């Protein structure tokens, strides 16, 4: 199928989300109601960027048309008190100039491709290089820096957004015109579901993901090292000094990379393992025990013992990139007015493995004409 582009007035205090103005009428997102749009800002070239507010199942979310960014995501703690649990900025200028992918959709290829180069069907492709000699998250102007077309929807008890972007043949060096559709759905059960789809007119590689930075104690509240993490993976992919996988699938047993049972992230983060030294903490792909599956299966749980908030992640993907916020350095100020320092937020990116196009033994990321790329990740919140 070709992927084409195709309210109730309430007080801000009652809705729990700041009121917005659209056409002179004060509006706020209503639980289960149609998402509300307002102008967030303009890029340097004058392009308008909109922010959508939506709420359902106890979750409140704000999403930008720029990069599909999840700017804020509020969930209740064990006492029912809401807090924003994702890192982000107040203004579009910061997102455009210095964002480390806060909350963004990532494409065409999530994570790294070594030397920014791969060969497909006998033809070599040179990609945009933006991480030393490597290509990271789609290159210098990946999907995170594009303005997406956004379509709000309600479907029964669900509410959400459909986001569309077409990447032309040769963009950032990738072959084929790729038509992408990403659907954000908030369910009445307290889930945030992300469905990715893409088609191409020429053989290419695709690895879409979301780059939300989590702190379940609340954005800007400090370290995530006391968060407890579980990952259903007995292996991970060690990297070289450029964080490119060596091709080995190494066992986690007896190493700081063993999260098969819940443990605080900070317990082993300074263990001195050579892989941690290279990454300045955790910044690796875990090889999920379940592999590629037909439907999302539970693969990770994150829990903040202070607030009682939990995040359960289910996916059909074979890998999970756990990044412990190693390169946050105190130079970025978030939506709450606080600076982000090393380890103040973490990422859990469902994906195929980094540099897969250069490793025949890794699950394939090739997409061909006539095929449809589909993958789903579900985030379930509790307390």
């Amino acid at each position: 199928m070709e992927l084409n582009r195709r309210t109730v007035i309430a007080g801000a205090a009652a809705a729990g989300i700041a009121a917005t103005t659209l056409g002179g009428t004060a509006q706020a997102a209503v639980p289960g109601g149609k998402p509300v749009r307002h102008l967030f800002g303009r890029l340097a070239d004058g392009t308008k960027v909109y922010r959508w507010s939506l709420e359902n199942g106890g979750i409140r979310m704000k999403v930008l048309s720029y990069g599909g960014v999840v700017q804020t995501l509020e969930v209740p703690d064990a006492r029912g008190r809401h807090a924003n649990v994702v890192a982000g900025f107040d203004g579009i200028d910061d997102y455009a100039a210095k964002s480390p992918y806060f909350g963004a959709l990532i494409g065409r290829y999530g994570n790294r491709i070594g030397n920014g180069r791969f060969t497909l069907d006998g033809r070599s492709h040179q990609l945009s290089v933006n991480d030393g000699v490597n290509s990271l998250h789609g290159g210098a102007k990946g999907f995170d820096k594009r303005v997406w077309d956004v379509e709000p929807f309600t479907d029964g008890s669900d509410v959400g957004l459909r986001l569309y972007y077409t990447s032309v043949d040769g963009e950032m060096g990738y072959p084929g015109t790729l038509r992408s559709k990403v659907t954000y759905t908030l369910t009445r059960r307290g889930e945030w579901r992300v469905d990715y789809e893409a088609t191409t007119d020429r053989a290419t590689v695709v690895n879409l993901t979301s780059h939300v930075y989590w702190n379940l104690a609340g954005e800007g509240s400090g370290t995530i090292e006391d968060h407890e993490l579980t990952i259903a993976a007995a292996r991970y992919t060690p990297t070289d000094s450029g964080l490119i996988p060596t091709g080995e699938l190494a066992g986690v047993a007896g190493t700081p990379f063993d999260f098969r049972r819940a443990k605080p992230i900070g317990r082993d983060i300074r263990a001195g393992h050579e892989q941690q030294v290279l990454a300045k903490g955790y910044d690796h792909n875990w090889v999920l025990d379940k592999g590629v599956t037909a439907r999302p299966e539970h693969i990770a749980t994150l829990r903040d013992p202070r607030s009682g908030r939990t995040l359960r992640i289910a996916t059909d993907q074979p890998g999970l990139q756990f990044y412990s916020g190693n390169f946050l350095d105190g130079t970025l100020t978030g939506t709450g007015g606080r600076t982000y320092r090393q380890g103040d937020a973490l990422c859990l990116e469902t994906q195929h493995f980094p540099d897969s196009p250069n490793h025949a033994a890794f699950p394939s990321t090739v997409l061909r004409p006539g095929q449809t790329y589909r993958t789903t990740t579900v985030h379930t919140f509790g307390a």
Side-chain angles (χ1 to χ4, degrees):
M1 177 183 66
E2 185 178 3
L3 306 177
N4 295 315
R5 176 184 176 185
R6 296 272 186 226
T7 337
V8 176
I9 298 175
I17 294 182
T20 63
T21 301
L22 191 61
T25 303
Q27 294 182 318
V30 176
K34 189 174 181 179
V36 176
R37 185 189 80 165
H38 82 285
L39 183 65
F40 182 68
R42 297 175 186 265
L43 298 176
D45 64 2
T47 301
K48 293 179 180 180
V49 174
Y50 292 97
R51 181 171 68 184
W52 294 84
S53 300
L54 55 160
E55 180 177 355
N56 204 20
I59 304 172
R60 304 164 182 165
M61 176 184 283
K62 293 182 179 178
V63 176
L64 307 183
S65 58
Y66 179 83
V69 164
V70 177
Q71 186 205 19
T72 65
L73 195 157
E74 299 179 26
V75 297
D77 65 9
R79 298 183 180 181
R81 299 172 300 188
H82 279 76
N84 174 30
V85 296
V86 303
F89 296 119
D90 272 334
I92 189 57
D93 290 346
D94 284 342
Y95 280 107
K98 56 188 177 183
S99 177
Y101 306 99
F102 281 157
L105 289 174
I106 302 298
R108 287 188 194 190
Y109 199 96
N111 221 300
R112 294 172 174 86
I113 293 181
N115 296 308
R117 188 180 301 118
F118 68 93
T119 300
L120 179 59
D121 296 338
R123 182 171 179 178
S124 180
H125 298 277
Q126 180 60 57
L127 307 176
S128 166
V129 171
N130 62 326
D131 183 49
V133 299
N134 303 315
S135 183
L136 173 64
H137 293 330
K141 193 173 181 181
F143 288 9
D144 61 295
K145 297 178 179 65
R146 307 290 180 170
V147 175
W148 293 62
D149 294 323
V150 182
E151 176 186 79
F153 71 89
T154 57
D155 183 8
S157 62
D158 295 339
V159 59
L161 303 170
R162 299 184 184 97
L163 300 97
Y164 302 88
Y165 177 68
T166 297
S167 174
V168 299
D169 182 30
E171 185 175 279
M172 296 296 104
Y174 287 91
T177 293
L178 189 80
R179 300 181 183 276
S180 301
K181 171 186 173 184
V182 180
T183 304
Y184 290 167
T185 304
L186 297 184
T187 75
R188 185 172 289 180
R189 297 182 297 278
E191 300 167 332
W192 170 39
R193 179 183 175 110
V194 186
D195 292 286
Y196 305 86
E197 296 181 34
T199 60
T200 185
D201 62 0
R202 182 181 169 194
T204 191
V205 294
V206 186
N207 190 28
L208 306 183
T209 190
S210 170
H211 208 290
V212 169
Y213 283 70
W214 302 100
N215 186 323
L216 296 184
E219 174 271 340
S221 65
T223 183
I224 47 80
E225 290 190 9
D226 58 348
H227 281 40
E228 298 166 353
L229 178 64
T230 309
I231 304 175
R235 297 175 296 171
Y236 76 106
T237 52
T239 71
D240 62 18
S241 60
L243 301 183
I244 300 297
T246 62
E248 178 187 6
L249 305 183
V252 302
T255 78
F257 294 85
D258 192 348
F259 285 91
R260 290 175 294 178
R261 294 185 178 180
K263 70 176 180 181
I265 290 168
R267 176 180 294 174
D268 298 324
I269 201 168
R270 294 173 181 81
H273 190 284
E274 61 180 357
Q275 284 291 307
Q276 292 175 300
V277 173
L278 290 174
K280 297 181 172 56
Y282 295 110
D283 192 3
H284 293 79
N285 170 68
W286 269 253
V287 179
L288 300 174
D289 292 340
K290 69 174 189 61
V292 178
T293 48
R295 59 184 57 85
E297 295 184 11
H298 173 250
I299 52 92
T301 299
L302 183 68
R303 178 179 180 271
D304 169 45
R306 288 180 287 168
S307 66
R309 293 187 183 94
T310 61
L311 166 62
R312 290 172 54 86
I313 298 177
T315 188
D316 49 20
Q317 293 285 274
L320 178 73
Q321 186 82 9
F322 166 36
Y323 168 56
S324 54
N326 314 326
F327 298 102
L328 299 176
D329 60 4
T331 62
L332 304 178
T333 300
T335 52
R338 301 181 181 91
T339 57
Y340 299 138
R341 298 187 180 275
Q342 186 179 48
D344 279 357
L346 64 92
C347 300
L348 297 168
E349 305 155 62
T350 56
Q351 61 179 18
H352 270 59
F353 305 167
D355 202 33
S356 287
N358 294 312
H359 295 273
F362 287 0
S364 175
T365 55
V366 174
L367 180 69
R368 298 186 180 279
Q371 299 175 334
T372 300
Y373 171 96
R374 289 190 178 92
T375 178
T376 298
T377 294
V378 181
H379 310 78
T380 303
F381 300 93

